[in-house]
Amino acid sequence: MPTHYETLDVPGEANAERIKRSYRRLVKIYHPDKFPHGSAAQAEAEKRIRELNAAYMVLSKPLSRASYDAKFKKVAPPYQQAEPEHCARCGKPTGY
């Protein structure tokens, strides 16, 4: 499954203006009204428009874009999960 950046044909570091221009350019190309009614091409264009709209909805808003980008970056959480202490004699985890 392509990323939203691939769907809109922009690099990951693209600014908001470039994303908007690419979205508008692709919508003009794939608009379903440009294809014959009931054709396979129109159905494919409708699918493509849905994908473009979903990608643009995420990438056009700074907070949702940051959240989306965080999913793909391997960022360590701000805290590590605490490891339980183990008994020196038997090696079993202690209760504290």
Side-chain angles (χ1 to χ4, degrees):
M1 180 174 193
T3 65
H4 289 325
Y5 293 105
E6 292 168 349
T7 301
L8 291 176
D9 196 27
V10 293
E13 62 276 353
N15 62 11
E17 182 61 33
R18 183 163 181 192
I19 290 171
K20 186 177 187 178
R21 276 185 290 151
S22 181
Y23 168 74
R24 288 184 174 182
R25 177 181 57 84
L26 291 170
V27 164
K28 287 178 185 177
I29 293 170
Y30 293 107
H31 198 282
D33 290 345
K34 288 188 159 198
F35 299 93
H37 181 69
S39 68
Q42 185 185 32
E44 184 64 29
E46 288 173 352
K47 179 181 176 223
R48 181 80 169 146
I49 284 289
R50 283 192 295 274
E51 292 169 356
L52 291 170
N53 287 338
Y56 185 69
M57 282 184 63
V58 171
L59 298 181
S60 65
K61 300 174 191 159
L63 289 177
S64 62
R65 181 177 178 182
S67 174
Y68 178 78
D69 289 343
K71 290 180 189 177
F72 292 105
K73 293 180 182 174
K74 300 295 180 194
V75 178
Y79 57 88
Q80 297 292 331
Q81 175 128 5
E83 293 291 325
E85 292 184 17
H86 292 84
C87 175
R89 284 191 319 217
C90 66
K92 292 182 180 177
T94 60
Y96 49 90

